[in-house]
Amino acid sequence: MKTIYLDNNATTGVAPEVFEAMRPYFGPEYGNPSSIHTFGGKIAARLEEAREQVASLIKADPSEIIFTSCGTESDSTAIRGTLESCPSKRHIITTRVEHPAVRGLCQHLAENGYRVTELSVDRQGVLDLDELAEALTEETALVSIMWANNETGVLFPMAKIAEMVKSAGAILHSDAVQAVGKEPLDVSKVPVDLLSISGHKLHAPKGIGVLYVRRGTRLTPLLIGGHQERGRRAGTENVPYIVGLGKACELAGQDFECEREHIRRLRDKLEDALLSKCPGSMLNGHKTQRLVNTCSISFEYVEGEAILLLLDRLGICASSGSACTSGSLEPSHVLRAMGVPFTMAHGSIRFSLSRYTTDDDIEYVIEKLPGTIQRLRNISPFGRGKTEEVPAKKS
Ligand code: PLP
């Protein structure tokens, strides 16, 4: 059975070009970039090339790029490193819809003496900027707001946010893990101080990340030890993965608009068809202020996990907006923050596409999903009779 992979916000496949670029660094090119000899020096030069490739994608200077082990490490370094470098300020502003890599850390900091303000979002997942304006004070050390939401794809207005945060004198971090490679990001125009990237969301391997640190930003390193990454992140560099991430960034920058258009067209085709063919369905998140690859749809009176299991049997990979907490399924904190009604939030499915998604993939899902939803409704005590019957297809 063919796999239709529509879960690219969870992780992406490594691009063949990325794999090829990495290969020599698992084999003959195994030198340590910190070594004095030529064998190591060659590797150091290759790392710098990768740094330039990453910097070029977000219009940064290569010296502003720090390689880390993942998006989570980048988030932690940005947040903890900023707080440690300005100990007199103990207020953090973030949002209710951040990824656990930011939200979990901020909650931990709140339990340890920091004051944390979580900004709310409206029914479409859009941030309330008046709340941000009210929350910013002289005590605010850091504002951490994601560029794009991983569940709904909703984009936050980072240029406006940066203007507000900078005029209040605070440091701005953005978790751009879901945005880099999908949205045109330009740190020369949007004055964020710190920005997190994760390789496995843009066709590089899992276990490699980047923290962009604007020149002049004060930051205490999370890992202290050797002098790698100019003393900003100790530990021998993961050379093959760094090379892979550089290549992935180069690829993401090529045919950027063309690729986005391809992905957007397929996403819209899927979304329009599902919303029209499945009664009792609804889009989660703003219709247009959204990543081109993401679509989160709620199907009333069905369990997201049940939909996923049936889709899995058809070879379709997606994810749900529920998380298993203490043995019971709870709608995600993102959908709860948006005020999505319980009966809807439980049946939410996220589809996330990539450059490798095809028309055939989308047509297959459009063919299979409406019948699957209706079959689940027919066996649900709440769903029966709520919506029209879609006859099961004979196969
Ligand atoms: N931030 C966001 C928005 C994410 O979607 C993810 C991963 O899903 C992360 C951070 C964590 O990245 P990593 O898996 O590289 O630690």
Side-chain angles (χ1 to χ4, degrees):
M1 186 170 51
K2 194 184 165 205
T3 297
I4 311 287
Y5 188 75
L6 298 181
D7 203 10
N8 288 280
N9 286 8
T11 197
T12 59
V14 172
E17 299 91 331
V18 168
F19 188 69
E20 281 314 313
M22 289 166 60
R23 193 191 287 275
Y25 301 92
F26 289 113
E29 305 289 350
Y30 57 82
N32 185 329
S34 299
S35 299
I36 298 292
H37 43 70
T38 314
F39 188 66
K42 256 189 349 190
I43 308 293
R46 188 63 188 84
L47 284 195
E48 292 320 302
E49 191 186 329
R51 206 182 299 281
E52 281 165 25
Q53 287 167 316
V54 176
S56 158
L57 184 64
I58 60 167
K59 313 282 185 285
D61 188 88
S63 65
E64 298 172 312
I65 301 297
I66 302 179
F67 291 111
T68 66
S69 68
C70 58
T72 303
E73 186 192 322
S74 302
D75 288 341
S76 272
T77 307
I79 296 171
R80 286 183 180 276
T82 299
L83 296 175
E84 203 174 319
S85 71
C86 59
S88 59
K89 295 186 177 186
R90 297 186 70 82
H91 179 221
I92 308 162
I93 301 177
T94 184
T95 79
R96 290 178 64 193
V97 296
E98 295 299 310
H99 186 273
V102 168
R103 196 162 184 248
L105 176 56
C106 289
Q107 285 171 347
H108 169 80
L109 291 165
E111 286 159 15
N112 287 278
Y114 284 90
R115 187 163 72 82
V116 177
T117 305
E118 282 194 340
L119 306 176
S120 44
V121 294
D122 68 11
R123 192 68 177 73
Q124 295 188 299
V126 173
L127 204 59
D128 185 341
L129 291 188
D130 290 339
E131 255 186 49
L132 172 61
E134 271 171 42
L136 282 163
T137 73
E138 282 179 0
E139 285 305 301
T140 310
L142 174 75
V143 178
S144 179
I145 295 183
M146 67 201 323
W147 204 292
N149 186 269
N150 44 301
E151 287 190 33
T152 59
V154 170
L155 291 160
F156 288 151
M158 289 315 297
K160 179 74 194 144
I161 291 168
E163 193 188 309
M164 293 168 73
V165 173
K166 291 289 89 195
S167 57
I171 294 290
L172 177 60
H173 164 244
S174 183
D175 176 340
V177 162
Q178 293 292 346
V180 172
K182 299 174 190 162
E183 282 296 306
L185 259 70
D186 185 342
V187 296
S188 73
K189 297 218 172 87
V190 179
V192 291
D193 300 297
L194 302 150
L195 182 135
S196 304
I197 303 177
S198 172
H200 73 108
K201 311 291 181 176
L202 70 150
H203 305 290
K206 297 157 196 58
I208 183 71
V210 158
L211 180 63
Y212 157 80
V213 184
R214 183 174 296 280
R215 191 176 298 142
T217 307
R218 286 172 57 201
L219 193 74
T220 305
L222 193 64
L223 301 187
I224 297 174
H227 296 294
Q228 293 89 355
E229 302 298 283
R230 299 176 186 209
R232 294 175 300 182
R233 198 272 186 185
T236 303
E237 298 89 342
N238 185 347
V239 176
Y241 283 32
I242 291 174
V243 170
L245 178 55
K247 185 70 188 173
C249 288
E250 183 190 271
L251 289 175
Q254 286 165 3
D255 300 325
F256 188 69
E257 277 313 322
C258 198
E259 225 165 57
R260 267 163 58 84
E261 220 20 70
H262 162 79
I263 296 171
R264 187 204 309 270
R265 181 182 65 76
L266 292 180
R267 192 273 312 266
D268 289 350
K269 178 170 164 177
L270 176 69
E271 187 170 299
D272 294 347
L274 294 183
L275 292 174
S276 70
K277 282 173 186 265
C278 301
S281 59
M282 176 193 88
L283 177 70
N284 295 311
H286 196 275
K287 177 88 182 125
T288 54
Q289 282 172 39
R290 195 161 39 116
L291 292 173
V292 293
N293 81 318
T294 307
C295 125
S296 164
I297 298 187
S298 279
F299 301 95
E300 202 174 18
Y301 302 117
V302 273
E303 286 282 354
E305 304 303 301
I307 304 172
L308 285 188
L309 286 176
L310 293 189
L311 288 182
D312 189 45
R313 286 193 205 157
L314 296 165
I316 301 167
C317 308
S319 62
S320 80
S322 305
C324 194
T325 320
S326 328
S328 70
L329 281 175
E330 288 291 331
S332 76
H333 68 284
V334 175
L335 299 180
R336 274 185 285 140
M338 289 164 64
V340 175
F342 213 64
T343 52
M344 278 287 187
H346 261 298
S348 77
I349 300 289
R350 177 190 70 188
F351 300 98
S352 44
L353 287 62
S354 81
R355 71 169 80 112
Y356 301 113
T357 308
T358 65
D359 270 285
D360 284 353
D361 293 342
I362 296 303
E363 274 152 28
Y364 182 72
V365 180
I366 294 172
E367 183 196 327
K368 298 291 182 191
L369 189 60
T372 302
I373 300 291
Q374 193 54 48
R375 273 194 292 286
L376 286 170
R377 282 196 182 133
N378 289 345
I379 56 168
S380 150
F382 304 107
R384 218 172 290 135
K386 295 282 184 196
T387 52
E388 292 157 26
E389 287 280 321
V390 177
K393 256 199 154 185
K394 288 203 182 79
S395 54

